[in-house]
Amino acid sequence: MMSTIGTKKVSIQNLVKIYQQPGHKTVTAVDDVSLEIAPGEFVTLLGPSGCGKTTILRMVAGFEVPTDGRVLIGADDVTGLTPDKRDTAMVFQSYALFPHLNVFDNIAYGLKIKKLPAAVIKEKVMEILELVGLGELEKRAPNQLSGGQQQRVALARALVMEPGVLLFDEPLSNLDAKLRVHMRAEIRRIQRKIGITSIYVTHDQAEAMSMSDRVIVMKKGKVEQIGTPHDIYAHPATEFVADFIGTANILDGQVVSVAGDEAEVAVLGTTFRLRGTRPVVSGEAVRAVIRPEAVELRASGGLPAEVLSSVFMGSYQDYHLRVGGQLLSVVDTNPAFKRVFCEGEQAFVGIRPDSLHIVAK
């Protein structure tokens, strides 16, 4: 059954959503967003509360009507269609299981509404139960299941309808941290196995980084950056993205000279020759990003540094340094086999030029 799912592309074209507030005020929740999601792709909308990510998901699902713009699923313009007329299925944060129905009947609910033969329903439900790892729990009531098992039932109920697009509205936020890690791996495994187009909404950057083919970082209703998890982390386009994804040192610098796609930038009391930077001009004040784990701490050789704090964190030593008049956070992994510097000591840091990245403010 699962191999017959007709996965589809999603086109979001100039989507706008404006809410009317009391006193004739308006709030623009989504501001002219356009996205293309390929068939079978797993894309995550990532950002803080109020950035518009959930509103976009709800407009794709049909639970919200756009103020302007269009939503296409496959070749079909579904902008004006109700949720039941769209080739989508939603996995909700709250699971939304029927408490009076057992696992089998919760999953079979939509198929029964479609009036499929009982034998077909049983075959489809049992197959999907095996896929999500609940093959022997079909007679359990929802209140007899753990949070992770309830989430699997919600996922199975969506998948059994064989939608072209699967939508996730922060589905793991009610689970504890360890179970969240396990469930995000399970969701990704199932998504890859059946190849269904998936749009996932979260404010958790670890979820986005570990599950997605591409991440769409949003801020105040607009798209800040789109890219693979590696691109977003290693080459953030803006200060907001650098700060929201992981931990970043955001440093003041100045462009000394520009030659082709190379720029010489003064930062941390020295100069670095950077390649492939965004367009800059000589004399321009810029902001440069370097990740804490990209800085090498040494006993000699490199830029002089004052150790302001040194904290053992098990798998790494967490340092805060003063280098060239600026503060620098450094993560030194596997400290048991390295020289550990103490607060007040002098040290040196080594920075590879390709670890520095100029961002927009």
Side-chain angles (χ1 to χ4, degrees):
M1 179 270 296
M2 297 310 301
S3 61
T4 65
I5 283 184
T7 187
K8 293 184 176 179
K9 69 175 181 179
V10 178
S11 298
I12 294 170
Q13 301 176 357
N14 307 110
L15 211 57
V16 176
K17 181 62 180 181
I18 300 173
Y19 290 104
Q20 193 75 38
Q21 299 288 345
H24 304 289
K25 292 182 180 179
T26 59
V27 173
T28 302
V30 177
D31 190 359
D32 194 24
V33 169
S34 295
L35 303 168
E36 293 288 329
I37 300 168
E41 191 175 22
F42 194 114
V43 167
T44 296
L45 297 168
L46 174 68
S49 297
C51 71
K53 59 188 185 296
T54 299
T55 305
I56 290 176
L57 192 78
R58 291 178 62 82
M59 286 191 283
V60 173
F63 299 129
E64 297 278 359
V65 178
T67 305
D68 201 2
R70 301 196 306 163
V71 176
L72 281 74
I73 296 177
D76 301 323
D77 187 339
V78 300
T79 311
L81 300 182
T82 55
D84 59 303
K85 299 294 193 297
R86 303 186 183 205
D87 193 10
T88 63
M90 177 86 84
V91 180
F92 294 95
Q93 177 180 341
S94 62
Y95 315 143
L97 302 179
F98 298 113
H100 61 289
L101 299 180
N102 64 22
V103 168
F104 183 98
D105 289 333
N106 260 284
I107 297 170
Y109 184 79
L111 300 175
K112 290 178 179 178
I113 289 178
K114 292 175 70 173
K115 295 183 168 40
L116 295 183
V120 173
I121 291 174
K122 183 172 183 179
E123 179 185 357
K124 289 178 179 290
V125 172
M126 296 310 294
E127 185 176 352
I128 201 71
L129 278 169
E130 289 297 327
L131 181 69
V132 301
L134 296 175
E136 298 178 355
L137 301 181
E138 71 269 18
K139 295 182 180 179
R140 293 269 185 96
N143 63 8
Q144 296 175 310
L145 303 175
S146 69
Q149 289 170 333
Q150 290 183 49
Q151 186 61 79
R152 289 169 189 260
V153 175
L155 177 59
R157 185 178 57 187
L159 287 173
V160 81
M161 301 304 292
E162 301 180 27
V165 180
L166 189 58
L167 308 174
F168 295 90
D169 183 15
E170 305 212 36
L172 306 183
S173 58
N174 289 336
L175 303 179
D176 64 57
K178 188 174 181 179
L179 189 53
R180 274 205 308 272
V181 172
H182 177 69
M183 280 304 300
R184 71 193 189 204
E186 276 296 284
I187 288 173
R188 186 58 165 141
R189 175 189 68 81
I190 292 165
Q191 187 271 339
R192 280 179 170 157
K193 184 170 183 178
I194 62 179
I196 188 170
T197 308
S198 300
I199 306 176
Y200 193 100
V201 160
T202 185
H203 63 273
D204 185 327
Q205 55 101 6
E207 280 182 27
M209 299 290 280
S210 64
M211 299 174 73
S212 312
D213 295 314
R214 284 191 301 155
V215 178
I216 299 164
V217 184
M218 296 196 62
K219 175 188 177 186
K220 296 181 179 178
K222 288 182 174 291
V223 172
E224 282 279 295
Q225 188 173 355
I226 301 174
T228 66
H230 180 271
D231 288 341
I232 294 285
Y233 186 82
H235 303 289
T238 66
E239 284 190 41
F240 173 82
V241 175
D243 191 49
F244 193 79
I245 303 289
T247 304
N249 294 294
I250 302 177
L251 307 168
D252 292 319
Q254 186 170 32
V255 179
V256 177
S257 64
V258 179
D261 68 341
E262 291 189 350
E264 194 172 62
V265 179
V267 63
L268 295 174
T270 190
T271 58
F272 295 89
R273 187 169 294 278
L274 309 183
R275 295 181 60 110
T277 67
R278 66 172 178 81
V280 293
V281 296
S282 182
E284 180 182 351
V286 294
R287 300 279 267 171
V289 167
I290 186 167
R291 298 293 182 180
E293 69 275 12
V295 181
E296 182 186 357
L297 199 57
R298 307 167 177 167
S300 63
L303 303 177
E306 178 189 357
V307 180
L308 303 179
S309 70
S310 174
V311 180
F312 177 67
M313 300 296 291
S315 61
Y316 65 94
Q317 193 79 14
D318 187 29
Y319 293 103
H320 285 84
L321 313 174
R322 181 177 286 112
V323 181
Q326 297 196 65
L327 300 181
L328 194 65
S329 175
V330 176
V331 168
D332 201 11
T333 56
N334 202 14
F337 300 97
K338 294 180 180 178
R339 158 81 185 273
V340 172
F341 295 87
C342 300
E343 181 180 333
E345 282 194 277
Q346 295 296 307
F348 295 87
V349 295
I351 296 175
R352 290 171 43 132
D354 56 4
S355 297
L356 276 170
H357 180 67
I358 294 177
V359 294
K361 293 182 180 180

